[in-house]
Amino acid sequence: MYLLYTVFDMRNKMTEELAVCGMNAVLAAGEHNPQTINRLFLREDRLKSFTGICKQLAERKRPYKICEDEELERVCKSVHHQGVVAMIEEPVIEMLSMEELDLWASEKKTGVLLHSVGNDHNLGAIARAAAFFDAAFIVLNEKDTEARLTTSAYRIAEGGLEHLKVRKITNSAAFLKDASKKLTTIGTDTRARMRIGDLGSVLKNSGVVLVMGNEETGLPENVKNQCSYLLRIPGTGNIDSLNVSQAAALFLHEIFES
């Protein structure tokens, strides 16, 4: 067994690595992108579940280490490690190309555009729902400095990020102007006339982009103006709105069922 002796922060800029923790998140990384795992920390009782990943690491001459909870917490800066932490190559989000957008349209894929959704926890929760309901991509506005691929995003996604293409754009309105010519773009707006139950009547035989905005301010007017349709989730009015990840899950379910 190869041993590790150095403890890493959740994002190690020197080695360009990111800590991914949690059973499902690390198992998914090992299954779908094993080449990105550089090293592994795990509790002894987790070894059976990660034998395959440890074997792959050994074959690549990459280290893994059996350790206690205290060291795992130091590695990922969280008590929510579930007994395993992988140091992966720091993910680089590529700019979305027109060729890729055309491919998604031709394959009638479903995806999500996140415009200033607020934080990496929301990103992780939306990624989990997106993967569960067979979405293929998430597009981030590069000006959104809060929604990033962090340790928290990977942990909360529970492996969902391994099933999605994550890309970035510079201008949400400009992206939607192009995307709306090729896919059905659904914007979410608490004041929209149409309801989520109307989705079935507006979805065409095409791919879909679900557009989610900030929980407090929603989507800006220039972004809403470029959407094919605007829809809302009706409620009792006891509270103003749902969490953005809850709203995304409801819309993704409706799109999946339609």
Side-chain angles (χ1 to χ4, degrees), residues 1-248:
M1 178 172 64
Y2 296 87
L3 296 180
L4 288 174
Y5 297 99
T6 305
V7 175
F8 296 93
D9 199 352
M10 60 194 302
R11 188 180 296 269
N12 191 314
K13 294 182 179 180
M14 183 176 296
T15 58
E16 297 183 335
E17 291 175 321
L18 176 73
V20 171
C21 59
M23 289 282 291
N24 290 334
V26 178
L27 283 171
E31 179 180 356
H32 298 284
N33 294 293
Q35 74 284 353
T36 65
I37 300 178
N38 289 336
R39 49 194 100 207
L40 185 70
F41 297 82
L42 71 165
R43 225 169 37 216
E44 188 168 8
D45 63 306
R46 297 303 191 198
L47 185 58
K48 184 177 180 180
S49 299
F50 293 91
T51 300
I53 297 177
C54 290
K55 182 178 179 181
Q56 290 176 346
L57 287 169
E59 290 172 349
R60 294 167 51 214
K61 293 182 169 54
R62 297 287 185 172
Y64 63 91
K65 181 182 180 181
I66 305 298
C67 52
E68 301 298 329
D69 285 337
E70 292 77 8
E71 187 168 1
L72 292 169
E73 291 173 20
R74 290 197 299 272
V75 172
C76 67
K77 302 299 181 185
S78 173
V79 298
H80 304 295
H81 49 71
Q82 296 179 339
V84 60
V85 181
M87 297 301 296
I88 68 168
E89 296 175 5
E90 185 167 5
V92 177
I93 304 177
E94 299 176 4
M95 294 295 296
L96 175 63
S97 67
M98 290 303 298
E99 292 76 15
E100 199 160 26
L101 180 61
D102 288 340
L103 179 63
W104 293 343
S106 67
E107 295 181 346
K108 301 176 183 178
K109 299 292 188 181
T110 294
V112 186
L113 168 63
L114 303 182
H115 182 88
S116 300
V117 296
N119 59 61
D120 50 0
H121 286 240
N122 283 334
L123 171 58
I126 292 170
R128 181 177 182 178
F132 187 84
F133 291 117
D134 199 33
F137 61 89
I138 286 181
V139 178
L140 303 174
N141 189 309
E142 69 174 356
K143 296 176 183 178
D144 186 356
T145 58
E146 298 299 321
R148 301 164 298 149
L149 294 181
T150 64
T151 300
S152 294
Y154 272 90
R155 176 177 59 81
I156 292 170
E158 292 277 352
L161 283 165
E162 307 299 335
H163 296 271
L164 301 163
K165 296 287 187 183
V166 181
R167 296 292 184 264
K168 64 182 178 181
I169 56 172
T170 57
N171 186 300
S172 297
F175 163 76
L176 287 169
K177 184 177 181 179
D178 290 329
S180 294
K181 299 173 184 176
K182 306 168 185 179
L183 306 99
T184 303
T185 54
I186 305 295
T188 55
D189 182 7
T190 57
R191 295 181 295 277
R193 177 181 59 82
M194 301 182 73
R195 300 182 172 202
I196 189 173
D198 297 318
L199 257 177
S201 64
V202 302
L203 290 181
K204 306 168 185 176
N205 187 24
S206 67
V208 180
V209 179
L210 174 65
V211 189
M212 305 299 301
N214 184 273
E215 290 182 4
E216 295 182 4
T217 59
L219 294 172
E221 288 300 319
N222 67 328
V223 172
K224 289 191 290 187
N225 290 340
Q226 297 300 331
C227 293
S228 306
Y229 302 95
L230 296 174
L231 286 87
R232 64 183 172 89
I233 300 172
T236 63
N238 291 336
I239 57 174
D240 290 338
S241 63
L242 295 172
N243 171 275
V244 65
S245 62
Q246 295 173 320

